[in-house]
């Protein structure tokens, strides 16, 4: 990862030298800086007023950005901060005033990359327009190496890499779901019985977590059938426990169902459907930053450890 950053820093250094050379060699007389400034201001007016059509007409790529849009209040822009890299490419630097989710005022330096298209100017990319804090996809993309922060420095670059990482994130979630579903096993000698009149039932069982992951608050589901094994006469569900079952651990549980309608057979299963817990497991997977490249080479990229979770999740 470190060598990757060094390579990209060198490339950015070369690019910056070339950009300065372009500025010096070209007259850039066709760039109307006042019109550029007006375009940026019009975009932010549309952005604040939620005029989607106007905003998209100025910044078409905005519909593909994966970050969280800040609640903008105003901008400070000066024509002196508008740099014409060539007759058609412009960089605009300015200060963005915005309100965070807690209502506090904030400022950030922003950058727009713009192009002249015919007689109008359009934004083709931006820097710091979006926030990526607390975004699971962004965090996953950074940890797996899909995003390299010294390379992917703009909103479009970050969003493109997050889009590429999205199938990997879904694969990771599916892998954990299947691991847990197949790993929560019920002892073969679990039992149940009905009352003398067959109107209610009770039972007990032991579930063991044979998966690689800790499981919080798994649930049980029991369905009762008549002797034909087809007609359902009752059902019940509840929590096996309210704490965490670590890999290899077991929990005993019992249940009582108030009406089972003369049932003669019962089917019991343990299920887990807490997506928030799966997200926490994803967050604690020990990625090393090589997974994205391995995935795109068709190699096995899953963390290769006996226990792939961090015990810190259980504290």
């Amino acid at each position: 990862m470190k060598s990757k950053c060094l390579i990209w820093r060198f490339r950015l250094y070369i690019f910056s030298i070339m950009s300065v050379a372009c500025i010096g060699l070209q007259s850039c007389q066709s760039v109307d800086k006042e019109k550029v400034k007006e375009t940026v201001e019009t975009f932010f007016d549309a952005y604040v007023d939620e005029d989607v059509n106007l905003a998209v007409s100025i910044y078409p790529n905005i519909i593909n950005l994966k970050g969280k849009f800040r609640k903008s209040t105003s901008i400070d822009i000066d024509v002196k901060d508008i740099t014409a890299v060539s007759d058609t490419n412009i960089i605009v630097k300015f200060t963005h005033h915005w309100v965070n989710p807690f209502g506090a005022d904030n400022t950030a330096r922003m950058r727009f990359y713009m192009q002249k298209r015919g007689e109008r100017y359009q934004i083709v990319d931006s820097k710091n327009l979006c926030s990526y804090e607390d975004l699971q996809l962004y965090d996953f993309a950074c940890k797996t190496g899909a995003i390299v922060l010294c390379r992917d420095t703009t909103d479009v670059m970050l969003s493109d890499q997050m889009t590429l990482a999205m199938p990997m994130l879904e694969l990771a979630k599916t892998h954990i779901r299947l691991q847990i579903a197949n790993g929560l096993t019920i002892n073969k000698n679990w039992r149940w019985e009905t009352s003398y009149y067959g109107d209610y039932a009770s039972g007990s069982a032991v579930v063991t977590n044979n998966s690689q992951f800790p499981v919080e608050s798994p649930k049980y589901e029991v369905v009762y059938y008549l002797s034909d094994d087809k007609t359902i006469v009752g059902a019940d569900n509840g929590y096996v426990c309210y704490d965490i079952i670590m890999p290899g651990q077991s929990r005993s549980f019992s249940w009582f169902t108030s009406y089972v309608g003369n049932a003669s057979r019962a089917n019991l299963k343990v299920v887990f459907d807490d997506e928030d817990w799966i997200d926490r497991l994803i967050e604690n997977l020990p990625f090393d930053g090589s997974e994205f490249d391995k995935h795109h080479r068709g190699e096995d990229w899953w963390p290769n450890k006996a226990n792939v979770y961090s015990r810190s999740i259980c504290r």
Side-chain angles (χ1 to χ4, degrees):
M1 182 70 74
K2 190 174 181 180
S3 61
K4 248 185 206 180
C5 284
L6 289 173
I7 291 169
W8 279 100
R9 280 175 183 166
F10 178 73
R11 289 179 180 174
L12 288 171
Y13 173 71
I14 295 298
F15 175 76
S16 64
I17 292 174
M18 292 175 66
S19 296
V20 171
C22 285
I23 295 169
L25 291 172
Q26 298 187 47
S27 62
C28 307
Q29 293 299 315
S30 63
V31 173
D32 185 340
K33 292 188 177 183
E34 286 295 339
K35 195 168 184 178
V36 171
K37 179 174 179 287
E38 180 184 333
T39 301
V40 173
E41 291 171 338
T42 301
F43 169 78
F44 271 99
D45 287 341
Y47 179 79
V48 172
D49 296 338
E50 298 183 2
D51 187 339
V52 176
N53 291 332
L54 180 55
V56 170
S57 71
I58 298 172
Y59 189 179
N61 281 331
I62 195 173
I63 59 175
N64 299 317
L65 300 186
K66 302 295 183 187
K68 294 184 290 187
F69 293 103
R70 295 184 170 105
K71 189 177 180 181
S72 179
T73 54
S74 64
I75 60 170
D76 296 330
I77 181 171
D78 194 304
V79 290
K80 292 185 294 186
D81 293 322
I82 298 172
T83 303
V85 178
S86 70
D87 286 341
T88 56
N89 294 289
I90 308 103
I91 298 175
V92 184
K93 300 176 183 178
F94 56 94
T95 301
H96 182 208
H97 299 269
W98 52 281
V99 178
N100 70 16
F102 302 101
D105 293 328
N106 284 266
T107 60
R109 287 295 290 173
M110 283 188 58
R111 185 176 294 191
F112 277 165
Y113 301 90
M114 301 180 67
Q115 286 184 350
K116 184 179 182 183
R117 294 175 176 174
E119 296 302 315
R120 60 195 300 255
Y121 295 92
Q122 278 191 326
I123 303 165
V124 295
D125 203 348
S126 55
K127 188 173 183 179
N128 290 334
L129 177 62
C130 296
S131 168
Y132 301 90
E133 294 175 1
D134 303 322
L135 288 180
Q136 182 190 37
L137 181 56
Y138 173 79
D139 183 62
F140 179 84
C142 288
K143 288 180 178 178
T144 56
I147 287 176
V148 180
L149 290 176
C150 57
R151 175 196 68 193
D152 305 312
T153 58
T154 70
D155 293 311
V156 170
M157 288 178 177
L158 291 170
S159 297
D160 285 347
Q161 294 306 114
M162 288 167 72
T163 299
L164 292 174
M166 198 178 298
M168 282 184 67
L169 177 58
E170 291 307 315
L171 282 173
K173 290 185 178 183
T174 299
H175 178 83
I176 293 176
R177 290 189 196 103
L178 289 174
Q179 270 271 333
I180 292 176
N182 295 328
L184 290 175
T185 57
I186 300 170
N187 63 310
K188 293 181 179 179
N189 60 341
W190 68 274
R191 63 180 184 83
W192 75 285
E193 59 185 10
T194 60
S195 65
Y196 180 80
Y197 295 103
D199 53 349
Y200 65 84
S202 60
S204 62
V206 176
V207 62
T208 301
N209 180 10
N210 292 311
S211 77
Q212 291 179 291
F213 302 98
V215 179
E216 184 181 48
S217 305
K219 302 174 185 176
Y220 70 84
E221 293 178 356
V222 58
V223 180
Y224 301 94
Y225 298 86
L226 291 180
S227 57
D228 62 5
D229 287 343
K230 295 180 181 179
T231 307
I232 297 174
V233 292
D236 201 358
N237 61 76
Y239 285 95
V240 170
C241 61
Y242 294 97
D243 60 353
I244 296 169
I245 307 179
M246 300 297 291
Q249 289 185 344
S250 299
R251 288 286 190 280
S252 60
F253 66 100
S254 58
W255 69 92
F256 176 88
T257 308
S258 58
Y259 180 76
V260 294
N262 295 311
S264 61
R265 190 176 72 84
N267 180 52
L268 175 67
K269 64 179 180 180
V270 173
V271 296
F272 182 77
D273 57 6
D274 188 343
E275 290 297 315
D276 289 338
W277 183 256
I278 290 175
D279 287 345
R280 288 184 63 187
L281 291 174
I282 292 285
E283 183 182 341
N284 283 272
L285 287 173
F287 295 123
D288 62 16
S290 67
E291 290 79 14
F292 181 75
D293 288 341
K294 287 180 180 178
H295 173 67
H296 280 268
R297 290 196 301 264
E299 300 173 8
D300 180 18
W301 55 273
W302 192 255
N304 187 23
K305 292 188 179 180
N307 288 317
V308 298
Y309 65 89
S310 167
R311 287 183 178 270
S312 62
I313 192 174
C314 305
R315 292 173 185 168

